[in-house]
């Protein structure tokens, strides 16, 4: 089964089994006091909880995901709530075809998606004094070899090291949940 089919099935099941509006990431929501609007990019946006949060805080959001089911849902929610969210179906495994050359963003958000090849792209498209928020799985002794493949888990302090030259406002490694979170500002 290809990735698009897998994610379409997952989102169809979720929308049919739990017809509850997706929530934004709690740690991103806790950082909204930093936001004053602008442009935002939500990479691997899923059902759009983070995109909706950002749009409600005066951001014009570009939301991308591989799943046309997820993107259709985000489009419907944006229209219903009259929010400025532009959507795009995109397979992030084809980074060589991704073109944000003429675009820049005040904030880029990635939650529970990891492709390290995105880091230089993210760094290049965030405006000076712009923000980056990322949260995903990380490799802990308790979670090694369990759940998702270890290749999709960050190494300890990996985000902190990767963005060491940025101003880090928040960094957390939660071993119980097996997640790593960073919120930082580009110099």
């Amino acid at each position: 089964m290809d990735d698009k089919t897998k994610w379409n099935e997952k989102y169809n099941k979720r929308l049919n089994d739990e017809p509850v509006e997706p929530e934004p990431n709690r740690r991103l929501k806790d950082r909204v006091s930093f936001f004053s609007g602008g442009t935002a990019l939500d990479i691997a946006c899923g059902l759009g909880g983070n995109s909706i949060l950002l749009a409600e805080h005066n951001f014009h959001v570009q939301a991308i995901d591989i799943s046309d089911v997820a993107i259709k849902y985000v489009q419907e929610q944006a229209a219903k709530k009259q929010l400025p969210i532009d959507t795009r179906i995109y397979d992030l495994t084809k980074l060589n075809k991704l073109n944000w050359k003429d675009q820049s963003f005040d904030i880029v958000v990635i939650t529970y998606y990891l492709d390290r090849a995105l880091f230089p792209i993210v760094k290049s498209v965030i405006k000076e004094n712009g923000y980056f928020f990322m949260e995903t799985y990380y490799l802990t002794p308790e979670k090694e070899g369990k759940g998702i493949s270890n290749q999709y888990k960050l190494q300890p302090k990996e985000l902190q090291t990767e963005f060491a030259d940025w101003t880090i406002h928040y960094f957390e490694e939660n071993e119980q949940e097996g997640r790593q979170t960073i919120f930082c500002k580009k110099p």
Side-chain angles (χ1 to χ4, degrees):
M1 175 184 317
D2 68 3
D3 285 340
K4 185 173 195 159
T5 303
K6 177 181 87 168
W7 286 106
N8 279 340
E9 286 180 7
K10 177 181 176 174
Y11 290 128
N12 268 324
K13 181 172 175 24
R14 176 150 178 226
L15 290 170
N16 291 324
D17 294 352
E18 312 167 35
V20 178
E21 189 172 311
E23 289 289 318
N25 180 283
R26 183 179 59 80
R27 283 152 295 282
L28 176 63
K29 192 174 181 179
D30 290 346
R31 315 256 118 43
V32 296
S33 63
F34 286 88
F35 307 151
S36 59
T39 55
L41 175 62
D42 188 359
I43 297 175
C45 67
L47 295 175
N50 295 330
S51 295
I52 291 167
L53 172 75
L54 292 167
E56 289 173 339
H57 284 86
N58 302 314
F59 282 93
H60 187 98
V61 180
Q62 188 177 126
I64 64 171
D65 200 277
I66 193 171
S67 169
D68 52 328
V69 170
I71 290 297
K72 181 178 182 231
Y73 180 81
V74 174
Q75 289 170 335
E76 290 168 355
Q77 294 304 304
K80 183 170 94 174
K81 297 173 185 236
Q82 298 182 336
L83 295 172
I85 302 174
D86 296 324
T87 57
R88 219 167 114 192
I89 298 168
Y90 190 79
D91 181 352
L92 289 165
T93 64
K94 296 177 171 61
L95 288 177
N96 59 332
K97 294 185 179 169
L98 190 60
N99 185 4
W100 285 310
K101 189 173 28 178
D102 300 326
Q103 298 180 53
S104 60
F105 301 92
D106 295 294
I107 185 168
V108 173
V109 173
I110 305 173
T111 53
Y112 293 94
Y113 179 81
L114 178 61
D115 182 343
R116 290 166 179 89
L118 276 171
F119 292 155
I121 295 168
V122 163
K123 289 176 179 181
S124 73
V125 300
I126 295 176
K127 295 177 183 176
E128 184 178 322
N129 295 314
Y131 293 95
F132 177 58
F133 178 89
M134 183 172 187
E135 179 172 292
T136 196
Y137 305 101
Y138 96 104
L139 194 58
T140 66
E142 300 83 33
K143 303 280 182 188
E144 188 169 357
K146 297 178 185 167
I148 66 164
S149 169
N150 286 348
Q151 80 182 68
Y152 299 114
K153 296 176 185 173
L154 293 163
Q155 294 297 314
K157 303 208 184 307
E158 184 174 349
L159 289 176
Q160 192 175 44
T161 302
E162 181 69 34
F163 291 89
D165 56 338
W166 292 38
T167 302
I168 298 175
H169 290 284
Y170 179 82
F171 178 78
E172 179 185 21
E173 287 183 334
N174 185 309
E175 289 196 21
Q176 286 181 315
E177 295 176 22
R179 70 167 164 78
Q180 192 174 117
T181 309
I182 195 166
F183 178 66
C184 55
K185 184 175 184 179
K186 185 175 183 175

